[in-house]
Each structure stands twice: as C-alpha cells, then as structure tokens.
Amino acid sequence: MKKYSEILKKCILFKDIDEDSLISMLSCINARIREYNKNELIFTEGSSADKIGIVLSGTVQVERVDYYGNRSILTSIKSSQIFGESFACSGKKFLVDIIATERCEVMLIDIHRAIHTCSNACDFHNKLIFNLLKAVANKNLILNKKIEATSKRTTKEKLLSYLSIVAKEEGRNSFTIPFDRQELADYLEVDRSGLSKEIGKLRAEGILESKGSYFKLLKNS
C-alpha cells in the first residue's frame, strides 16, 4: 500500500490524516486494490452499494443508460478522486454503471468499516467520516454543473455553458476536457453529429478553437 501513499494523500477522503495513520487506516477499513481493463464495469446498476472506490491510476466514468439504451455520462473520475460515495452512504443500490475508460487501478473501501468506529477506537475515524461528508457535498456540486449545462435549450447553449464552467474552474480560457467527442455528446445529452456541427459553426464564428478534447474560448458568444 505504501507505493500509493502520495496519490492517497491527495484524496479528499484522507485529508489531514498523517501517513502513519493512513497505513493503519487502510487495514482497518479493509481497503483492497483491483485492476480493471478498458470498458470493464467496476460497479453495475442494481448492484449493492457497499463500497467506495478511489482511482489510483487511469480514469473511470459514471454512466446512466435509459430504457431505450441511450447513454448519459454523469462525470469522469481521475487519479486520487473517489466514486460511489453518495450511493454507499445512502445504503441503496447503484442507479448507475461505473466503468473503466482505460486500464486502471482502483482501491475499494468497505463503507461499513469506514463510517463505523472500530473496536480499536482509532483516532482517524472521525476525520474520515468528516472528509466523507465533504466528498458527498462536492459530488453534489459536480452533478449541479452537469444540470446547469444540460438544462439549456439548444446544443450550442449546452456546449458553451459547459465550456464556460470548465474555463472558470481551470482559471484560463484554454483547457482539455476529460471527454472525446462522443462522450461529450453523451455528457451534454445531445446528438453527436449536431454537436460536431455546432462546434464547427463556433470555430467559423471565431468564438472558440478546438482539436479533439482541447478547447480555447476566444470571446463571449
């Protein structure tokens, strides 16, 4: 576990927990590491939400597929970030699929051990529970970002809303998003060809530059 300590120290779940305590904690909360191949499901819709995941390498996505098979991407999770915490804390089953978008390593944590103080009365448990509460709140903010973008009426408005949010988060007008073109369409819940057409129009109008997942906002629309 020590080789992952630098990544884990960046994880919100372990904020303000020293390295020695962290190593003890991982044993206490029954942390296990698993490797997943690209497109392999980590958690599936309808499965028991009894674990929290931490991405150690690679990326994973949270996806929802409706009755007709239409995919919507809720968020992308990168190294040191966590997933599944909202469902695990609610005690309900997963309502989404969580899938590896590339080969990745994931640490899985037993939610019951994480939120209940153990017989050893470890000092770090209170910090862990507090950090978990912050993580759930942060995830709600991330989902609000998606709602803000997808609530717009047109594909153009959805795209510019999303790119504007990312630009504010990054603090600059040029950035790389965690989605390819199809994934961006699924995230914004729009048709891919329509999205590509709007991106082409915005480039022609001098509003943005783009290449693959790279975007640069040039002026306000």
Side-chain angles (χ1 to χ4, degrees):
M1 294 289 186
K2 271 206 163 186
K3 73 173 185 175
Y4 301 107
S5 60
E6 290 304 312
I7 296 172
L8 295 174
K9 282 191 288 187
K10 297 176 184 177
C11 179
I12 187 173
L13 204 58
F14 305 123
K15 181 178 173 58
D16 297 325
I17 296 174
D18 64 79
E19 186 169 345
D20 289 338
S21 295
L22 175 57
I23 299 301
S24 298
M25 175 190 293
L26 295 178
S27 175
C28 183
I29 59 181
N30 197 30
R32 296 288 182 269
I33 296 174
R34 282 202 56 188
E35 294 184 1
Y36 294 90
N37 294 317
K38 182 177 180 180
N39 296 327
E40 186 175 356
L41 284 165
I42 301 171
F43 297 137
T44 59
E45 181 180 359
S47 63
S48 178
D50 56 1
K51 290 181 177 60
I52 295 173
I54 303 173
V55 179
L56 301 175
S57 66
T59 57
V60 306
Q61 283 181 352
V62 182
E63 304 177 355
R64 177 178 290 123
V65 179
D66 67 17
Y67 179 79
Y68 301 100
N70 299 308
R71 181 180 71 157
S72 174
I73 297 175
L74 301 183
T75 188
S76 179
I77 314 293
K78 300 181 291 184
S79 177
S80 81
Q81 296 180 332
I82 71 175
F83 58 90
E85 70 278 14
S86 297
F87 292 102
C89 289
S90 74
K92 300 188 180 298
K93 294 182 178 181
F94 282 106
L95 300 177
V96 296
D97 291 329
I98 301 180
I99 186 171
T101 55
E102 58 183 319
R103 186 172 179 80
C104 64
E105 294 176 293
V106 170
M107 176 176 286
L108 299 176
I109 294 171
D110 187 319
I111 183 60
H112 303 294
R113 291 201 182 191
I115 64 176
H116 295 105
T117 304
C118 65
S119 58
N120 295 326
C122 304
D123 291 337
F124 52 68
H125 253 112
N126 287 335
K127 286 183 180 179
L128 179 65
I129 293 170
F130 177 75
N131 290 343
L132 182 57
L133 179 63
K134 289 178 63 177
V136 172
N138 285 346
K139 189 56 60 70
N140 287 336
L141 294 176
I142 291 172
L143 292 178
N144 283 338
K145 177 174 73 174
K146 176 179 169 67
I147 292 170
E148 182 178 344
T150 57
S151 64
K152 306 301 182 183
R153 296 184 61 186
T154 67
T155 298
K156 176 182 177 180
E157 290 173 338
K158 291 180 179 183
L159 174 63
L160 289 177
S161 175
Y162 170 69
L163 295 178
S164 176
I165 292 170
V166 176
K168 287 183 178 180
E169 290 178 343
E170 296 289 334
R172 57 181 184 272
N173 68 329
S174 61
F175 45 82
T176 300
I177 64 172
F179 306 123
D180 61 25
R181 194 57 52 84
Q182 182 60 60
E183 290 169 341
L184 179 58
D186 290 339
Y187 179 84
L188 296 175
E189 300 178 8
V190 299
D191 178 70
R192 176 179 176 173
S193 61
L195 175 63
S196 295
K197 185 180 297 184
E198 289 299 333
I199 291 175
K201 288 180 181 178
L202 291 170
R203 282 200 301 246
E205 294 168 7
I207 293 175
L208 61 77
E209 294 177 1
S210 71
K211 183 177 181 180
S213 298
Y214 169 82
F215 287 86
K216 182 176 182 180
L217 295 177
L218 301 177
K219 65 178 182 179
N220 293 328
S221 59

